[in-house]
Amino acid sequence: MKIKNAMIDVETLAVDWNAVVLTIGAVKFNPFTNDIDSKFHVKLDVDSQIEKGRVTDERTLAWWGQQEESVKAKAFSPNGRIDVGEALDKLSEWAGDTHRVWCQGPSFDFPIVDSLYRQYDRQIPWKFWNQRDARTVTGLLAEDIKSKINFNAHDAAEDCVAQAKCVQYVYNKLGVCHTV
């Protein structure tokens, strides 16, 4: 895989930039091919985020209450949670060889992840000019692309796989073979 792009997704307990983050998922992919590899997934310690002033909101908690039991169990399980600083260090190391970083909509995942990096005194591992939005790309086609992909919604890493596949689908369908 020559061109390394990363797709990032977070699962949270609020929708603001300072939301408590349950999980961070990511995959590396080449938008010009069907290559997807190097899945990343970490579960973050929740209590330390609340102690640092990160927030939860009732509407998001109510939304989680309406999700499938298996999705809730995976997202809320205390097993395997790690220190936020350690999680960010792992994400930075993992993302070190990426060219561009994508997410599904620029006003949710990026501000939340960026604020975590700042709050935990870590350097954001990508340049803001290398951030890309998968929702804009998938909106270029008048198709429900996600309905063509079988994935486990609201699992951060699986969401990344689906989002990367959607970008690849659009690039292929439109004949995009390079970008600046």
Coordinates of all heavy atoms in Angstrom, one line a residue, residues 54-122:
R54 N -14.1 16.9 31.2 CA -14.7 16.5 30.0 C -16.2 16.1 30.3 O -16.5 15.8 31.5 CB -14.0 15.3 29.3 CG -12.6 15.8 28.9 CD -11.9 14.9 27.9 NE -12.4 14.9 26.6 CZ -12.1 15.8 25.6 NH1 -11.2 16.8 25.9 NH2 -12.6 15.7 24.4
V55 N -17.1 16.2 29.4 CA -18.5 16.2 29.7 C -19.3 15.0 29.1 O -18.8 14.4 28.1 CB -19.2 17.5 29.2 CG1 -18.6 18.7 29.9 CG2 -19.1 17.7 27.7
T56 N -20.4 14.7 29.7 CA -21.4 13.8 29.2 C -22.7 14.6 29.0 O -22.8 15.7 29.6 CB -21.6 12.6 30.1 OG1 -22.2 13.1 31.3 CG2 -20.3 11.9 30.4
D57 N -23.6 14.1 28.2 CA -24.9 14.8 28.2 C -26.0 13.7 28.1 O -25.8 12.6 27.6 CB -25.0 15.8 27.0 CG -25.1 15.2 25.6 OD1 -25.9 14.3 25.4 OD2 -24.3 15.7 24.8
E58 N -27.1 14.1 28.7 CA -28.3 13.2 28.8 C -28.8 12.7 27.5 O -29.2 11.5 27.3 CB -29.4 13.9 29.6 CG -29.1 14.1 31.0 CD -28.7 12.8 31.8 OE1 -29.4 11.8 31.6 OE2 -27.8 12.9 32.6
R59 N -28.8 13.5 26.4 CA -29.4 13.1 25.1 C -28.5 12.0 24.5 O -29.0 11.1 23.9 CB -29.5 14.3 24.2 CG -30.7 15.2 24.6 CD -30.9 16.3 23.8 NE -30.3 16.4 22.5 CZ -30.3 17.5 21.7 NH1 -30.9 18.6 22.1 NH2 -29.7 17.5 20.5
T60 N -27.2 12.2 24.7 CA -26.2 11.2 24.1 C -26.4 9.9 24.9 O -26.4 8.8 24.3 CB -24.8 11.7 24.1 OG1 -24.7 12.9 23.4 CG2 -23.9 10.6 23.5
L61 N -26.5 10.0 26.2 CA -26.7 8.8 27.1 C -28.0 8.1 26.7 O -28.0 6.8 26.6 CB -26.6 9.1 28.5 CG -25.3 9.6 29.0 CD1 -25.4 10.1 30.5 CD2 -24.2 8.6 28.9
A62 N -29.0 8.9 26.5 CA -30.3 8.3 26.1 C -30.2 7.6 24.7 O -30.7 6.5 24.5 CB -31.4 9.4 26.0
W63 N -29.4 8.2 23.8 CA -29.2 7.6 22.5 C -28.5 6.3 22.6 O -28.9 5.3 22.0 CB -28.4 8.6 21.6 CG -28.0 8.0 20.3 CD1 -28.7 8.1 19.1 CD2 -26.8 7.3 19.9 NE1 -28.0 7.4 18.1 CE2 -26.8 7.0 18.6 CE3 -25.6 7.0 20.7 CZ2 -25.8 6.3 17.9 CZ3 -24.6 6.3 20.0 CH2 -24.7 6.0 18.7
W64 N -27.5 6.2 23.5 CA -26.8 5.0 23.7 C -27.7 3.9 24.2 O -27.6 2.7 23.9 CB -25.6 5.1 24.7 CG -24.3 5.5 24.0 CD1 -23.7 6.8 24.1 CD2 -23.5 4.8 23.2 NE1 -22.6 6.8 23.3 CE2 -22.4 5.5 22.8 CE3 -23.6 3.4 22.7 CZ2 -21.4 5.1 21.9 CZ3 -22.6 3.0 21.8 CH2 -21.5 3.8 21.5
G65 N -28.7 4.3 25.1 CA -29.7 3.4 25.6 C -30.5 2.7 24.6 O -31.1 1.7 24.8
Q66 N -30.6 3.3 23.4 CA -31.5 2.8 22.3 C -30.7 1.9 21.4 O -31.2 1.3 20.4 CB -32.1 3.9 21.5 CG -33.0 4.8 22.3 CD -33.4 6.0 21.6 OE1 -33.0 6.3 20.5 NE2 -34.3 6.8 22.2
Q67 N -29.4 1.7 21.6 CA -28.5 0.9 20.7 C -28.7 -0.6 21.0 O -29.1 -0.9 22.1 CB -27.1 1.4 20.7 CG -26.9 2.9 20.4 CD -27.6 3.2 19.1 OE1 -27.3 2.7 18.0 NE2 -28.4 4.3 19.1
E68 N -28.2 -1.4 20.1 CA -28.3 -2.8 20.3 C -27.4 -3.2 21.6 O -26.4 -2.6 21.8 CB -27.7 -3.6 19.1 CG -28.6 -3.5 17.9 CD -28.0 -4.3 16.7 OE1 -27.2 -5.2 16.9 OE2 -28.3 -3.9 15.6
E69 N -27.9 -4.2 22.3 CA -27.2 -4.6 23.5 C -25.7 -5.0 23.3 O -24.9 -4.6 24.1 CB -27.9 -5.8 24.1 CG -29.2 -5.5 24.8 CD -29.1 -4.4 25.8 OE1 -28.2 -4.4 26.7 OE2 -30.0 -3.5 25.9
S70 N -25.4 -5.7 22.2 CA -24.0 -6.0 21.9 C -23.1 -4.8 21.7 O -22.0 -4.8 22.1 CB -23.9 -7.0 20.7 OG -24.4 -6.3 19.5
V71 N -23.7 -3.8 21.0 CA -23.0 -2.5 20.8 C -22.7 -1.8 22.1 O -21.6 -1.4 22.4 CB -23.7 -1.6 19.8 CG1 -23.1 -0.3 19.7 CG2 -23.8 -2.3 18.4
K72 N -23.8 -1.7 22.9 CA -23.6 -1.1 24.2 C -22.6 -1.8 25.1 O -21.8 -1.2 25.8 CB -25.0 -1.0 25.0 CG -25.9 0.0 24.4 CD -27.1 0.2 25.2 CE -28.0 -1.0 25.3 NZ -29.3 -0.8 25.9
A73 N -22.7 -3.2 25.1 CA -21.8 -4.0 26.0 C -20.4 -3.7 25.6 O -19.5 -3.6 26.5 CB -22.2 -5.4 25.8
K74 N -20.1 -3.7 24.3 CA -18.7 -3.5 23.9 C -18.2 -2.0 24.2 O -17.1 -1.9 24.7 CB -18.6 -3.7 22.4 CG -17.2 -3.8 21.8 CD -17.1 -4.3 20.4 CE -15.7 -4.4 20.0 NZ -15.5 -4.9 18.6
A75 N -19.1 -1.1 23.9 CA -18.7 0.3 24.2 C -18.5 0.7 25.6 O -17.6 1.4 26.0 CB -19.7 1.3 23.6
F76 N -19.3 0.1 26.5 CA -19.3 0.5 27.9 C -18.6 -0.5 28.8 O -18.5 -0.2 30.0 CB -20.8 0.7 28.4 CG -21.4 1.9 27.9 CD1 -22.1 1.9 26.7 CD2 -21.2 3.1 28.6 CE1 -22.6 3.1 26.2 CE2 -21.8 4.3 28.1 CZ -22.5 4.3 27.0
S77 N -18.1 -1.6 28.3 CA -17.4 -2.6 29.1 C -16.1 -1.9 29.8 O -15.4 -1.2 29.1 CB -16.9 -3.7 28.3 OG -16.0 -4.5 29.0
P78 N -15.9 -2.1 31.1 CA -14.8 -1.5 31.7 C -13.5 -2.2 31.3 O -12.4 -1.7 31.5 CB -15.1 -1.6 33.2 CG -16.0 -2.8 33.3 CD -16.8 -2.8 32.0
N79 N -13.6 -3.4 30.8 CA -12.4 -4.2 30.5 C -11.6 -3.6 29.4 O -12.1 -3.2 28.4 CB -12.8 -5.6 30.0 CG -13.6 -6.4 31.1 OD1 -13.4 -6.1 32.3 ND2 -14.5 -7.3 30.7
G80 N -10.3 -3.6 29.6 CA -9.3 -3.1 28.6 C -9.2 -1.6 28.5 O -8.5 -1.1 27.6
R81 N -9.8 -0.8 29.3 CA -9.7 0.6 29.3 C -8.3 1.0 29.7 O -7.7 0.4 30.6 CB -10.7 1.3 30.2 CG -12.1 1.0 29.6 CD -13.1 2.1 30.0 NE -14.4 1.8 29.4 CZ -14.7 2.1 28.1 NH1 -13.9 2.8 27.4 NH2 -15.8 1.7 27.6
I82 N -7.7 2.0 29.0 CA -6.4 2.5 29.3 C -6.3 4.0 29.6 O -7.2 4.7 29.2 CB -5.3 2.1 28.2 CG1 -5.6 2.8 26.9 CG2 -5.3 0.6 28.1 CD1 -4.6 2.6 25.8
D83 N -5.2 4.4 30.2 CA -5.0 5.8 30.5 C -5.1 6.6 29.2 O -4.6 6.2 28.1 CB -3.6 6.0 31.1 CG -3.2 7.4 31.2 OD1 -3.7 8.0 32.2 OD2 -2.4 7.9 30.4
V84 N -5.7 7.8 29.2 CA -5.9 8.6 28.0 C -4.6 9.0 27.4 O -4.4 8.9 26.1 CB -6.8 9.8 28.3 CG1 -6.9 10.7 27.1 CG2 -8.2 9.4 28.8
G85 N -3.7 9.4 28.2 CA -2.3 9.8 27.6 C -1.7 8.6 26.9 O -1.1 8.8 25.8
E86 N -1.8 7.4 27.5 CA -1.2 6.2 26.8 C -1.9 5.9 25.5 O -1.3 5.6 24.5 CB -1.3 5.0 27.8 CG -0.8 3.7 27.2 CD -1.0 2.6 28.1 OE1 -1.4 2.7 29.3 OE2 -0.8 1.4 27.7
A87 N -3.2 6.1 25.5 CA -4.0 5.9 24.3 C -3.6 6.8 23.2 O -3.4 6.4 22.0 CB -5.5 6.0 24.6
L88 N -3.4 8.1 23.6 CA -3.0 9.1 22.6 C -1.6 8.8 22.1 O -1.3 9.0 20.9 CB -3.1 10.5 23.2 CG -4.5 10.9 23.5 CD1 -4.5 12.3 24.3 CD2 -5.4 11.0 22.3
D89 N -0.7 8.4 23.0 CA 0.6 8.1 22.5 C 0.6 6.9 21.5 O 1.3 6.9 20.5 CB 1.5 7.7 23.7 CG 1.8 8.9 24.6 OD1 1.7 10.0 24.2 OD2 2.2 8.6 25.8
K90 N -0.2 5.9 21.8 CA -0.4 4.8 20.9 C -0.9 5.2 19.5 O -0.5 4.8 18.5 CB -1.3 3.7 21.5 CG -0.6 2.9 22.6 CD -1.5 1.9 23.2 CE -0.8 1.1 24.3 NZ -1.2 -0.3 24.4
L91 N -1.9 6.1 19.6 CA -2.5 6.6 18.3 C -1.5 7.4 17.5 O -1.3 7.2 16.3 CB -3.7 7.4 18.6 CG -4.4 8.1 17.4 CD1 -4.9 7.0 16.4 CD2 -5.6 8.9 17.8
S92 N -0.7 8.2 18.2 CA 0.3 9.0 17.5 C 1.4 8.1 16.9 O 1.8 8.3 15.7 CB 1.1 9.9 18.5 OG 0.2 10.9 19.0
E93 N 1.8 7.1 17.6 CA 2.8 6.1 17.0 C 2.2 5.4 15.8 O 2.8 5.3 14.8 CB 3.2 5.1 18.1 CG 4.3 4.1 17.6 CD 4.7 3.2 18.7 OE1 4.6 3.5 19.9 OE2 5.1 2.0 18.3
W94 N 1.0 4.9 16.0 CA 0.3 4.2 14.9 C 0.1 5.1 13.7 O 0.3 4.7 12.5 CB -1.1 3.7 15.4 CG -1.9 3.0 14.4 CD1 -1.9 1.7 14.1 CD2 -2.9 3.6 13.5 NE1 -2.8 1.5 13.1 CE2 -3.4 2.6 12.7 CE3 -3.4 4.9 13.3 CZ2 -4.4 2.9 11.7 CZ3 -4.3 5.2 12.4 CH2 -4.8 4.2 11.6
A95 N -0.2 6.4 13.9 CA -0.5 7.3 12.7 C 0.7 7.9 12.1 O 0.6 8.7 11.2 CB -1.4 8.4 13.2
G96 N 1.9 7.6 12.7 CA 3.1 8.2 12.2 C 3.5 8.2 10.8 O 4.1 9.1 10.2
D97 N 3.1 7.2 10.0 CA 3.4 7.1 8.6 C 2.2 7.4 7.7 O 2.3 7.1 6.5 CB 3.9 5.7 8.3 CG 2.9 4.6 8.5 OD1 1.8 4.8 9.1 OD2 3.1 3.5 7.9
T98 N 1.2 8.1 8.2 CA 0.1 8.4 7.4 C 0.3 9.7 6.7 O 1.0 10.6 7.2 CB -1.2 8.5 8.2 OG1 -1.1 9.4 9.2 CG2 -1.6 7.1 8.8
H99 N -0.3 9.8 5.5 CA -0.2 11.0 4.7 C -1.4 12.0 5.0 O -1.2 13.2 5.2 CB -0.2 10.7 3.2 CG -0.2 11.8 2.3 ND1 0.9 12.7 2.2 CD2 -1.1 12.2 1.3 CE1 0.7 13.6 1.3 NE2 -0.5 13.3 0.7
R100 N -2.6 11.4 5.0 CA -3.8 12.2 5.3 C -4.6 11.5 6.3 O -4.6 10.3 6.4 CB -4.6 12.4 4.0 CG -3.9 13.2 3.0 CD -4.8 14.1 2.2 NE -4.1 15.0 1.4 CZ -3.8 14.8 0.2 NH1 -4.1 13.7 -0.5 NH2 -3.1 15.8 -0.5
V101 N -5.4 12.3 7.1 CA -6.3 11.7 8.1 C -7.7 12.1 7.8 O -8.0 13.3 7.6 CB -5.8 12.1 9.5 CG1 -6.7 11.6 10.6 CG2 -4.4 11.8 9.8
W102 N -8.6 11.2 7.8 CA -10.0 11.4 7.5 C -10.9 11.1 8.7 O -10.5 10.4 9.6 CB -10.4 10.4 6.4 CG -9.8 10.5 5.1 CD1 -8.5 10.2 4.8 CD2 -10.4 10.9 3.9 NE1 -8.2 10.4 3.5 CE2 -9.4 10.8 2.9 CE3 -11.6 11.4 3.5 CZ2 -9.6 11.1 1.6 CZ3 -11.9 11.7 2.2 CH2 -10.9 11.6 1.2
C103 N -12.1 11.7 8.7 CA -13.1 11.3 9.6 C -14.5 11.6 8.9 O -14.5 12.1 7.8 CB -13.0 12.1 10.9 SG -13.4 13.8 10.8
Q104 N -15.5 11.2 9.6 CA -16.9 11.3 9.0 C -17.5 12.7 9.5 O -18.2 12.7 10.5 CB -17.7 10.1 9.4 CG -19.1 10.1 8.8 CD -19.1 9.6 7.4 OE1 -18.1 9.4 6.8 NE2 -20.3 9.3 6.9
G105 N -17.2 13.7 8.8 CA -17.6 15.1 9.2 C -16.6 15.8 10.0 O -16.1 15.3 11.0
P106 N -16.2 17.0 9.6 CA -15.1 17.7 10.2 C -15.4 18.3 11.6 O -14.5 18.7 12.3 CB -14.8 18.8 9.2 CG -16.1 19.1 8.5 CD -16.8 17.7 8.4
S107 N -16.7 18.4 12.0 CA -17.0 19.1 13.2 C -17.2 18.2 14.4 O -17.6 18.7 15.5 CB -18.3 20.0 13.0 OG -19.4 19.2 12.6
F108 N -17.0 16.9 14.3 CA -17.2 16.0 15.4 C -15.9 15.3 15.8 O -15.3 15.7 16.8 CB -18.3 15.0 15.1 CG -18.6 14.1 16.3 CD1 -19.4 14.6 17.3 CD2 -18.1 12.8 16.3 CE1 -19.7 13.8 18.4 CE2 -18.4 12.0 17.4 CZ -19.2 12.5 18.5
D109 N -15.4 14.4 15.1 CA -14.3 13.6 15.5 C -13.0 14.4 15.7 O -12.3 14.3 16.7 CB -14.0 12.4 14.5 CG -15.2 11.5 14.4 OD1 -15.3 10.6 15.2 OD2 -16.0 11.7 13.5
F110 N -12.7 15.2 14.7 CA -11.4 16.0 14.7 C -11.4 16.9 15.9 O -10.4 16.9 16.7 CB -11.2 16.8 13.4 CG -10.6 15.9 12.3 CD1 -11.1 16.1 11.0 CD2 -9.6 15.0 12.5 CE1 -10.6 15.4 10.0 CE2 -9.1 14.2 11.5 CZ -9.6 14.4 10.2
P111 N -12.4 17.8 16.2 CA -12.3 18.6 17.4 C -12.2 17.9 18.7 O -11.5 18.3 19.6 CB -13.6 19.4 17.3 CG -14.0 19.4 15.9 CD -13.6 18.1 15.4
I112 N -12.9 16.8 18.8 CA -12.9 16.0 20.0 C -11.5 15.4 20.2 O -10.9 15.5 21.3 CB -14.0 14.9 20.0 CG1 -15.3 15.5 20.1 CG2 -13.7 13.9 21.1 CD1 -16.5 14.6 19.9
V113 N -10.9 14.7 19.2 CA -9.6 14.1 19.3 C -8.5 15.2 19.5 O -7.7 15.1 20.4 CB -9.3 13.3 18.1 CG1 -7.8 12.8 18.1 CG2 -10.2 12.1 18.0
D114 N -8.6 16.3 18.8 CA -7.7 17.4 18.9 C -7.7 17.9 20.3 O -6.6 18.2 20.9 CB -7.9 18.5 17.9 CG -7.6 18.2 16.5 OD1 -7.1 17.0 16.2 OD2 -7.9 19.0 15.6
S115 N -8.9 18.1 20.9 CA -9.0 18.6 22.3 C -8.4 17.7 23.3 O -7.8 18.1 24.3 CB -10.4 19.0 22.6 OG -11.2 17.9 22.9
L116 N -8.6 16.4 23.1 CA -7.9 15.4 23.9 C -6.4 15.5 23.9 O -5.8 15.6 25.0 CB -8.3 14.0 23.5 CG -9.5 13.3 24.1 CD1 -9.7 11.9 23.5 CD2 -9.5 13.2 25.6
Y117 N -5.9 15.6 22.7 CA -4.4 15.8 22.6 C -3.9 17.1 23.4 O -3.0 17.0 24.1 CB -4.0 15.9 21.1 CG -3.7 14.6 20.5 CD1 -4.6 14.0 19.6 CD2 -2.5 13.9 20.7 CE1 -4.3 12.8 19.1 CE2 -2.2 12.7 20.2 CZ -3.1 12.1 19.3 OH -2.8 10.9 18.7
R118 N -4.6 18.2 23.2 CA -4.3 19.4 23.9 C -4.4 19.3 25.4 O -3.5 19.7 26.2 CB -5.1 20.6 23.4 CG -4.7 21.0 22.0 CD -5.4 22.2 21.5 NE -5.1 22.5 20.1 CZ -5.8 22.2 19.1 NH1 -6.9 21.5 19.2 NH2 -5.4 22.5 17.9
Q119 N -5.5 18.7 25.8 CA -5.8 18.6 27.3 C -4.8 17.7 28.0 O -4.5 17.9 29.1 CB -7.2 18.1 27.5 CG -7.7 18.2 28.9 CD -9.2 17.9 29.1 OE1 -9.7 17.1 28.3 NE2 -9.8 18.4 30.1
Y120 N -4.3 16.7 27.2 CA -3.4 15.7 27.8 C -1.9 16.1 27.4 O -1.1 15.2 27.5 CB -3.8 14.3 27.5 CG -4.9 13.8 28.3 CD1 -6.3 14.2 28.0 CD2 -4.7 13.1 29.5 CE1 -7.3 13.8 28.8 CE2 -5.8 12.7 30.3 CZ -7.1 13.1 29.9 OH -8.2 12.7 30.7
D121 N -1.7 17.3 27.0 CA -0.4 17.8 26.7 C 0.4 16.9 25.7 O 1.6 16.6 25.9 CB 0.5 18.0 28.0 CG -0.2 19.0 28.9 OD1 -0.6 20.1 28.4 OD2 -0.2 18.8 30.1
R122 N -0.3 16.6 24.6 CA 0.3 15.8 23.6 C 0.3 16.6 22.3 O -0.7 17.3 22.1 CB -0.4 14.4 23.4 CG -0.5 13.5 24.6 CD 0.9 13.1 25.1 NE 0.9 11.9 25.9 CZ 0.6 11.9 27.2 NH1 0.2 13.0 27.8 NH2 0.8 10.8 27.9

